[in-house]
Amino acid sequence: MADPMAHNELPQKKKLYIETVGCQMNMLDSELVVAKLRNEGYELTLDIGQADTILYNTCSVRQHAEDKIYSALGRIKTIKQQKPEVSIGVLGCMAQKDQGQILKRAPHVDIVVGPGQLGRVSELLAKAKEDRAPQMAVSLARTGGSRDHVTESFAEYDPLREPAMRPTPHQAFVRIMMGCDKFCTYCIVPSVRGPEQSRPPDGIVEEARQLAEQGVKEITLLGQTVNSYKFKTPDGRTTRLSDLLERLHDIPGLVRIKFITSFPNDMTDDLLQAVRDLPKMSRYLHVPAQSGCDEILKRMKRLYTVALYDDMMARIHETIPGVAVSSDFIVGFCGETEKSFEKSIRLVERSRFKNSFIFKYSPRTGTKADDLYADDIPEGVKKRRNNDLLAVQNAICAEDNRPFVGRTVEILVEGPSKTAQRHASEGFGPIQMTGRTSCDRIVVYEGNARQAGELLPVTITEATPMTLFGEVMTTALVGIGA
Ligand code: 5AD
Ligand code: SF4
């Protein structure tokens, strides 16, 4: 009988190529999918031409993100023609939103898997091969606020984490909530990611403890409205985000804890006090305002007024010295006049955000805004408002970064900067490293790769709007308020 191992050949591992677009939630989903597939004999490749399986983890928050995926699917059609054995998968939010449409537009796709079904990717890949037919796994349609949408994927702690897919070996995302119940009128997320559910705190703490044991120094807690976190145990006790932070803070090995993204109405005093009082907490909050105009906020169904947002900003700054806040804005939302847009400019000026993510309104089929209102702001006007708001924000970034020159701040080192990574093979000696202050400001300094994961004091020598540059001062005293 022929011995299959006669030439000492190990069975060839299947090669997996994965591209992820969208938010941190998607990055974490990809990490979990890859972990599971690695465990089943796949290995990662960065070369799409070498891959046996090509996966796209998609986003549907804006049209642009979807267009990118459809054009990538168009480009890889030739790969499938030349190598029909290659499997192609579309995962995540766009899979949930477009479902069978994807197979119509790109018949060479083998699997379509929504965010609630990602635990089934390997099973669906195998079934598509076996049946020689595309497979689709998506959650039930969700109508405004109903709870029939099952989103159980990876709900519980999945120990098969994939370090190579983490942002860096020392940083990890931890999902504490899934879905969203806010139903902002422009947003597709509640219908593709399902209802808001908070994870039991014990599972979260256990996951964070295991990550810390693997060498993770910083965890970022994820949720669409992360500060709405609430878990009621059968004995009637409620764990709030502030309670959870206290428990996570006790985990040895962790040095920094962040949470994103927050909803203005739920920025309670107990949470702000926890950020102030727990030394491992990053003094950074991401609280999207979306608009500075009450009429627009009402049309967006954001559930707060500009006055409430202003009051929240005042409470944040009163409670947490040296805190940095970032925000999101949508420009060109239906009915946004020049006057309403100017109110967004004023809000950015008053709030002095560390940074703002600014988006042009992109109508999404299936949302309230798309049903109720006309997308009446011309693309050129959206673009101009985007640039104008960005210019105001950039000026604030420049002004607020400048006073850092001469100060010594403590950073958590993330690793070689992008340019340093490219040049790493060219020689030894010091390289450009990056890290972040407690307030999430990016700092670049000359150091060495072994410093990744360390807390280091760095004296700032130069400031640009987005980046601080500095030198390591090993003996310097470290100031707070970075
Ligand atoms: N068009 C433009 N931007 C959007 N966002 C969400 N939905 C849309 C949309 N339809 C933005 C919001 C949100 C961020 C993640 O994406 O600002 O905070
Ligand atoms: Fe979308 Fe609003 Fe939920 Fe954020 S809070 S995910 S913008 S519906």
Side-chain angles (χ1 to χ4, degrees):
M1 201 167 70
D3 176 1
M5 304 301 272
H7 306 291
N8 278 341
E9 277 177 13
L10 289 170
Q12 278 258 308
K13 286 202 165 194
K14 284 176 275 186
K15 289 205 161 61
L16 168 68
Y17 174 88
I18 185 163
E19 239 175 70
T20 306
V21 292
C23 63
Q24 286 90 348
M25 201 65 98
N26 265 15
M27 288 166 71
L28 175 57
D29 280 340
S30 290
E31 186 189 326
L32 296 172
V33 166
V34 171
K36 193 145 193 239
L37 292 178
R38 292 250 303 218
N39 207 39
E40 291 170 18
Y42 285 79
E43 68 181 7
L44 275 177
T45 174
L46 296 175
D47 180 358
I48 195 167
Q50 296 289 317
D52 309 296
T53 302
I54 301 171
L55 299 179
Y56 293 98
N57 194 7
T58 62
C59 169
S60 52
V61 146
R62 283 170 291 276
Q63 186 62 42
H64 177 66
E66 292 190 354
D67 293 344
K68 256 170 67 176
I69 297 297
Y70 278 116
S71 58
L73 289 173
R75 280 196 306 275
I76 61 168
K77 208 170 163 180
T78 47
I79 298 185
K80 186 79 171 180
Q81 280 160 353
Q82 285 156 10
K83 294 193 277 180
E85 70 281 8
V86 169
S87 301
I88 298 171
V90 177
L91 320 179
C93 294
M94 199 182 98
Q96 179 65 40
K97 178 175 157 283
D98 287 1
Q99 305 190 359
Q101 291 289 332
I102 295 173
L103 298 171
K104 277 204 191 112
R105 283 182 68 171
H108 51 294
V109 167
D110 297 285
I111 61 164
V112 173
V113 190
Q117 318 285 330
L118 294 176
R120 297 180 53 201
V121 167
S122 62
E123 162 210 329
L124 293 163
L125 283 169
K127 191 151 169 42
K129 276 239 144 71
E130 205 180 293
D131 295 1
R132 293 170 176 269
Q135 303 294 316
M136 191 161 75
V138 290
S139 299
L140 294 174
R142 186 186 188 208
T143 47
S146 82
R147 297 217 157 249
D148 58 356
H149 180 118
V150 187
T151 315
E152 75 286 356
S153 178
F154 302 118
E156 276 317 301
Y157 171 51
D158 183 333
L160 307 168
R161 299 295 291 265
E162 176 50 69
M165 289 298 287
R166 291 208 291 262
T168 72
H170 307 286
Q171 296 173 293
F173 295 123
V174 175
R175 186 187 342 248
I176 67 164
M177 291 173 83
M178 294 195 298
C180 182
D181 278 345
K182 295 285 194 279
F183 281 94
C184 302
T185 57
Y186 52 80
C187 187
I188 194 72
V189 168
S191 49
V192 293
R193 288 233 172 226
E196 181 186 295
Q197 299 168 64
S198 293
R199 254 180 90 182
D202 289 351
I204 297 169
V205 172
E206 185 50 30
E207 177 174 354
R209 197 180 296 283
Q210 295 216 18
L211 287 166
E213 277 166 12
Q214 292 168 11
V216 166
K217 305 276 189 210
E218 175 189 280
I219 54 168
T220 302
L221 309 179
L222 299 183
Q224 306 296 343
T225 57
V226 70
N227 58 334
S228 321
Y229 177 88
K230 241 182 208 93
F231 190 86
K232 227 177 175 161
T233 30
D235 63 3
R237 284 182 40 196
T238 300
T239 304
R240 304 163 298 179
L241 180 57
S242 56
D243 304 317
L244 180 65
L245 294 177
E246 273 191 36
R247 288 185 61 184
L248 293 168
H249 197 264
D250 286 341
I251 296 177
L254 291 184
V255 301
R256 199 172 274 175
I257 304 169
K258 296 184 199 176
F259 55 90
I260 51 172
T261 293
S262 293
F263 194 75
N265 300 31
D266 296 325
M267 204 46 107
T268 51
D269 287 336
D270 59 291
L271 180 58
L272 298 182
Q273 284 153 10
V275 174
R276 178 194 61 199
D277 296 339
L278 301 171
K280 292 181 186 176
M281 288 308 304
S282 172
R283 294 190 167 216
Y284 165 69
L285 301 169
H286 180 216
V287 203
Q290 310 297 1
S291 169
C293 168
D294 280 339
E295 289 89 80
I296 296 296
L297 288 175
K298 202 163 177 192
R299 284 189 144 212
M300 290 177 163
K301 200 172 148 283
R302 283 293 285 180
L303 310 172
Y304 53 84
T305 58
V306 178
L308 184 138
Y309 195 90
D310 282 337
D311 173 65
M312 177 206 71
M313 286 298 287
R315 280 189 301 113
I316 289 176
H317 284 288
E318 271 161 28
T319 313
I320 315 168
V323 70
V325 181
S326 68
S327 192
D328 292 357
F329 283 87
I330 296 177
V331 294
F333 185 63
C334 321
E336 188 189 64
T337 61
E338 280 307 313
K339 248 190 165 155
S340 29
F341 170 65
E342 276 163 24
K343 290 180 180 169
S344 291
I345 294 206
R346 298 289 97 78
L347 180 63
V348 169
E349 286 171 346
R350 305 197 277 289
S351 305
R352 300 198 75 87
F353 297 113
K354 180 189 71 104
N355 61 300
S356 290
F357 302 94
I358 301 164
F359 307 103
K360 291 177 289 176
Y361 171 59
S362 168
R364 312 311 297 137
T365 311
T367 59
K368 266 256 160 63
D370 193 50
D371 283 349
L372 294 178
Y373 313 123
D375 176 24
D376 55 356
I377 309 300
E379 182 59 24
V381 175
K382 288 182 183 171
K383 212 175 239 171
R384 182 196 27 92
R385 289 182 186 168
N386 192 330
N387 291 344
D388 287 356
L389 198 54
L390 202 58
V392 172
Q393 176 61 57
N394 281 349
I396 291 167
C397 294
E399 277 171 29
D400 287 358
N401 267 359
R402 219 171 290 134
F404 279 91
V405 175
R407 279 195 217 164
T408 298
V409 296
E410 185 182 61
I411 64 163
L412 178 62
V413 181
E414 294 180 355
S417 74
K418 288 211 172 89
T419 29
Q421 278 171 25
R422 254 181 272 133
H423 298 173
S425 55
E426 290 172 13
F428 298 99
I431 54 167
Q432 284 217 313
M433 297 287 288
T434 73
R436 275 174 205 259
T437 66
S438 168
C439 290
D440 207 55
R441 288 189 159 83
I442 299 169
V443 177
V444 172
Y445 72 99
E446 215 164 70
N448 67 64
R450 284 190 309 277
Q451 288 162 331
E454 279 180 31
L455 283 171
L456 276 188
V458 174
T459 300
I460 303 304
T461 53
E462 192 191 332
T464 66
M466 298 303 152
T467 312
L468 301 172
F469 295 88
E471 289 167 1
V472 186
M473 304 290 287
T474 41
T475 53
L477 284 173
V478 180
I480 47 164

